[in-house]
Amino acid sequence: MPEDLSPDYTEGPEPLVVALARTGDRDAFAELVRRRERWLRLLLWRCCSDRALADDLAQQAFLQAWEKLRQLRDPARFGPWLKRLAINGWLARLRSSDALAAPVEAFDELTDAPAMGRPSTTTLALDLDAALTTLAPAARTCVVLAYHEGLTHDEIAAMTTLPLGTVKSHVRRGTQRLKQLLNAYEDPSVHSQEAVR
Amino acid sequence: MSDEYDRDPLLMQLFHAASDAPAAEVDEPFVERVMARLERRQRRAWALRLVVGVALAIIAIPLQDPLELLADYLLSPLIDAQSGFGRVFFSPMSSVGAVLSVVLLGVQWLLRRRER
């Protein structure tokens, strides 16, 4: 197709691009990948603390999304639907290693506290990610879904199929642990500006 | 003080600030890897369909005679209607295959009624 006749998806609203991708338009789907890759990879990286694994999980989620796109009834719900595919992929990985079913108490003091430098906006993201690595996989997943995605306990329980009480316990303990490690950021002036990666 | 979902305000602020970094450029190599994997998967699916189709065609050769016998049996008339009118009138029940179809439709209807 001549360049001047090829469709430009970069300006279109996401539901429209999703609708086009559902017809088998690969360029439209590539645009969806462009729009969502950074957000999805960051979410998965926060859950699994492993960049290579997060990238692999994100790729698998996109591939599943392509195969199941016709099952998505509302194109406007593409983001939450993709997130569910990605988190399910991560949870399947956890289940295969029994990490999801381990009792909450088994993960107390799982790892040593990472070295934290002087808090600043430039180190905030790094310190937050380092603190998250000290949580066990199941707890980290619950904490990330609660704080990064703003899900309620019930929503997290539904997504992870963990008992509600376990989710609440993970979020509570994870919160305590993170606050312990990040207490230097309680000074509002440190994190009031945008963090720079 | 946490909110009703046990979320700490400080952590909420930190997560928000850490995620609110300046918009990075799209990682085009990552996008290309995803699309390349997608293409490979589709090619594998088509290759599998081709292999299954060829396998079925090969398997069907020795089954051709039994299948022809089955087709002849299903088409064999139950009611020997000589006249054109008779043939048309009895056509829904005039062969084994037709009777089988009616029976299967009846079973399907009954099952649907039970589901309701």
Side-chain angles (χ1 to χ4, degrees), chain B residues 41-56:
Chain B
R41 198 176 269 205
Q42 289 204 303
R43 275 201 296 272
R44 268 202 299 267
W46 278 111
L48 186 64
R49 283 185 199 125
L50 188 65
V51 165
V52 168
V54 168
L56 284 175

Side-chain angles (χ1 to χ4, degrees), chain A residues 76-91:
Chain A
R77 300 280 307 160
F78 177 72
W81 178 76
L82 180 64
K83 174 174 64 187
R84 185 172 274 267
L85 288 177
I87 294 294
N88 283 346
W90 163 236
L91 293 172

Side-chain angles (χ1 to χ4, degrees), chain B residues 54-75:
Chain B
V54 168
L56 284 175
I58 292 170
I59 289 168
I61 294 169
L63 292 179
Q64 205 169 358
D65 288 338
L67 286 173
E68 277 180 10
L69 282 173
L70 181 64
D72 287 339
Y73 174 69
L74 288 173
L75 288 171

